[in-house]
Amino acid sequence: MGDGAGIGPEVIVPAVLHPDTLARCRPVVIGDAERLRQAAGLLGGESEVDVVPVKAPAEAEFTPGRINVVDLALLPADLPWGRLSPVAGDAAYQFVRVAAELAQAGAVQGICTAPLNKEALHAAGHLYPGHTELLAKLTGVDEVSMMLSTPTVKVIHVTTHIGLIDAVHRIEPGLVARTVRRGHEAMVRAGVPAPVIGVCGINPHAGENGLFGYGEEEEKIVPALEEVRAEGIDARGPLPADTAFFLAGRGDYDLIVAMYHDQGHGPVKVLGLEAGVNLTVGLPVIRTSVDHGTAFDIAGTGTADAGSMVEALRQAAEMATRPAD
C-alpha cells in the first residue's frame, strides 16, 4: 500500500476495482483496511466499496465492489494525510516485507507497489534509498535494475539513487553488460522476442569522439556493447542521450539504457508519466510500481490519478506466472 499518508490508498481503491484490472488478475492489498476505507470515502464511493480483511491471499473472494486486504493494522485512524510520519514509514516497510514473503512463498505471483516516502522510511529506521534496494535486500539479491515503462518509451538504468559523480565512478563494463542483459530478458518476457536496445553515453553527444569528457564511453560502455553483441543481443551505441529518446519515441528502439537516474527519468516523465510504470528487473519475484511519488501536496483530496496504478497492475499481471488453479 506504500506510505499511508500519501496518495497510495487513493490510487489503490479505484485501481483494484477497475474492470481492466479484474479482467487480468485477482488483486489483494497488503496494507491497512481502515486507511483504504478512508480513501474510498474521499473518492465518494464509501457506500459502494466493501474493504474486507483477509488473513491470506488464498482467502480472498472477488465480488463487485469488494477489496481484499491483508490488514497489518499498523496505522492510527487519525493519521494526517500529506504529512511526514515515521509511523507511516515503518508501516510502508512492513507492507513490502510481507508482500515479499508472500511472493517468495508462491502465495502471490507478483508485487505491485504504491509509492513510499524515503524520508519517512529513514525516519522509521529503515535506511534504504527506495523500493528497489529494499526488495533486493528482502529477496537476497545483490544487484537489480530499475526499468521505467510507458506506452511511448521504455528505459532501464545502469545506476539510480546515487549522486551523479558517484554514478560516473560506478559505471563500468561489467555493470553495463549486466544491465543490458537484464533489459533484454525483461523485454523478451514482455513479448518482444528480438528487442532493439539503444545504449546512452555518459557525456553530452556521447563524448563526440573524445571532445567531451575523458573517454568514459570508450572505457566503460564500448567493451560492454561488444560483449553483449557477441551473445546475440542487438544493443546499439553509445548514443547521445538527447537524441536517443527521440528515436525511441518514434519506434527505432524498444528499450533505452540510461547511465544515471535523471538521464532516464526526465524524458520518461515528459513522455508518459500518467501511464508510467516502474519495474524492478533481476528480482526472483515480479515487481512493478507506479512511476510517481507520495504527492503529499494532494494526498487526502481525492484528486490523485489512478492511471499509473492501473497500468502497473496490468504489467505485473502480464509478466507474472499464472497460478496452477
Side-chain angles (χ1 to χ4, degrees):
M1 196 181 81
D3 192 303
I7 62 171
E10 295 171 73
V11 299
I12 287 172
V13 169
V16 298
L17 295 177
H18 197 285
D20 289 352
T21 301
L22 295 173
R24 293 184 173 94
C25 64
R26 298 177 299 189
V28 177
V29 182
I30 313 299
D32 187 276
E34 177 56 29
R35 198 58 164 180
L36 290 172
R37 294 188 187 103
Q38 293 174 7
L42 291 171
L43 299 168
E46 191 172 15
S47 59
E48 293 86 26
V49 176
D50 186 18
V51 178
V52 182
V54 295
K55 293 182 179 180
E59 295 182 6
E61 299 177 9
F62 297 89
T63 55
R66 172 171 168 145
I67 297 176
N68 297 279
V69 53
V70 176
D71 184 16
L72 302 192
L74 295 174
L75 300 178
D78 61 351
L79 178 74
W81 294 96
R83 295 186 190 176
L84 186 75
S85 166
V87 173
D90 180 63
Y93 169 85
Q94 303 301 339
F95 300 156
V96 177
R97 178 186 60 79
V98 171
E101 290 173 355
L102 291 169
Q104 289 182 289
V108 297
Q109 283 67 51
I111 300 171
C112 182
T113 58
L116 53 73
N117 183 282
K118 296 175 180 64
E119 191 175 351
L121 188 70
H122 291 185
H126 305 296
L127 304 181
Y128 298 92
H131 270 123
T132 302
E133 297 82 2
L134 172 54
L135 280 163
K137 178 68 173 179
L138 290 170
T139 57
V141 175
D142 292 330
E143 187 178 280
V144 295
S145 296
M146 176 187 293
M147 179 185 286
L148 301 181
S149 175
T150 77
T152 309
V153 64
K154 294 175 174 58
V155 54
I156 190 168
H157 294 71
V158 175
T159 66
T160 50
H161 296 125
I162 56 175
L164 184 55
I165 292 174
D166 294 330
V168 174
H169 284 302
R170 183 173 296 184
I171 296 166
E172 51 86 20
L175 177 58
V176 174
R178 294 192 297 274
T179 303
V180 172
R181 290 190 194 101
R182 282 191 285 268
H184 179 268
E185 291 167 6
M187 294 301 296
V188 170
R189 181 164 189 162
V192 182
V196 180
I197 301 172
V199 181
C200 290
I202 297 172
N203 295 295
H205 299 207
E208 199 155 312
N209 298 317
L211 183 61
F212 305 121
Y214 300 93
E216 288 88 354
E217 282 75 19
E218 288 295 323
E219 175 190 347
K220 297 170 178 287
I221 300 174
V222 170
L225 294 180
E226 293 173 348
E227 184 177 328
V228 297
R229 286 171 189 153
E231 300 167 4
I233 296 175
D234 189 353
R236 306 176 187 182
L239 304 171
D242 58 353
T243 58
F245 286 92
F246 165 74
L247 295 173
R250 76 178 189 185
D252 291 16
Y253 298 105
D254 299 301
L255 176 69
I256 293 293
V257 179
M259 291 295 127
Y260 52 89
H261 185 281
D262 286 9
Q263 189 182 61
H265 276 64
V268 165
K269 291 190 175 183
V270 170
L271 292 170
L273 177 61
E274 291 80 6
V277 175
N278 181 330
L279 300 87
T280 304
V281 182
L283 292 171
V285 300
I286 299 300
R287 181 260 173 163
T288 68
S289 177
V290 294
D291 185 28
H292 58 70
T294 48
F296 279 174
D297 57 327
I298 62 169
T301 66
T303 61
D305 189 326
S308 183
M309 179 59 78
V310 173
E311 180 64 13
L313 284 163
R314 182 189 71 79
Q315 293 203 31
E318 279 190 356
M319 297 180 71
T321 302
R322 299 297 186 270
D325 59 350

